[in-house]
Amino acid sequence: MTRTQHYTTDTFPSEAGKEIATVYADDPSTTAALLESLIERDGAVIVKNLIPESLCAQIKQDIKPIFDSDKPDPAGFFPTTTKRAHGILARSPASAKLVINPLFQSVAERMLTSRYTYWEGQEQKTVAAKPQIASIVGFRVEPGGKQQPLHRDDSDYHTRNCDMPVMLGCVTALSKTTKENGATVIIPRSHLWGPDRCPLDEETISAELEVGDAAIFVGNVYHAGGANVTKYEPP
């Protein structure tokens, strides 16, 4: 017998949020617990000054050759004006400092660590698995670049709305990002939607970032690389 499970739209919230909260990494009140609560509520949070500008400059210098040699995405998911940089850890030792940022690591462990309890004979045991790095990719949205389709990153894993968060993204600005030059767009609270709710471009908010700022979001929040409508911007 084949059984199909279907979720109706009235089972889940369907409203989009109106803003993304902003906190400062150097504020003592900005804890992993605070970030977790904001991300659980809105699906995303902007963290100012997550990493130093000097570190951003070094990473940017290291990965420029990767961007310059990138070829168009054959699948067409990324516009031809979006340059990608893969294998960043191998090419930029400085990028490791971003990956192990204490604040990001702490919130990732709080939200993504899975625990499992089982019986082994007559002894009950509990084990835990901490999150692992899935991918590290750089994006450079050049002038004339179009917006990506709105999507959820965790769709690759066929997750369900009742599953715990399985991914946490961290978009960190190596250059200033604005609504005009291609800042990531996010639909706040869309991580609460059911599978039948269609995301709309007019519901998005641009995650505008200064150098060193980051937008941290769960894998099931709708987002996309923004359009770059500027005529010229140094890479």
Side-chain angles (χ1 to χ4, degrees), residues 20-33:
I20 302 172
T22 298
V23 299
Y24 287 79
D26 52 1
D27 185 333
S29 66
T30 300
T31 62

Side-chain angles (χ1 to χ4, degrees), residues 15 31 46 60 85 91 94 97 115 143 151 194 198 209 211 215-216 232:
E15 296 298 318
T31 62
I46 291 176
K60 185 177 178 180
R91 300 286 291 273
K97 295 181 180 179
R115 292 175 175 81
H151 61 281
C198 176
L209 307 173
V211 175
I216 301 176
Y232 173 75

Side-chain angles (χ1 to χ4, degrees), residues 58-69:
Q58 183 60 59
I59 298 173
K60 185 177 178 180
Q61 177 181 321
D62 292 342
I63 65 177
K64 184 179 183 299
I66 312 177
F67 282 132
D68 293 342
S69 61

Side-chain angles (χ1 to χ4, degrees), residues 181-199:
N181 74 2
T184 298
V185 296
I186 298 171
I187 303 181
R189 305 199 177 189
S190 60
H191 65 306
L192 303 174
W193 296 353
D196 296 327
R197 173 63 156 87
C198 176

Side-chain angles (χ1 to χ4, degrees), residues 25-26 47-60 94-104 170-175 210-214:
D26 52 1
V47 182
K48 305 288 289 183
N49 307 321
L50 182 68
I51 62 173
E53 290 188 21
S54 58
L55 180 59
C56 292
Q58 183 60 59
I59 298 173
K60 185 177 178 180
S95 65
K97 295 181 180 179
L98 168 59
V99 174
I100 63 173
N101 176 270
L103 184 58
F104 178 62
C170 182
V171 174
T172 307
L174 304 183
S175 301
E210 298 289 338
V211 175
D213 297 349

Side-chain angles (χ1 to χ4, degrees), residues 202-215:
E202 56 265 31
E203 296 174 310
T204 63
I205 293 176
S206 295
E208 297 185 300
L209 307 173
E210 298 289 338
V211 175
D213 297 349

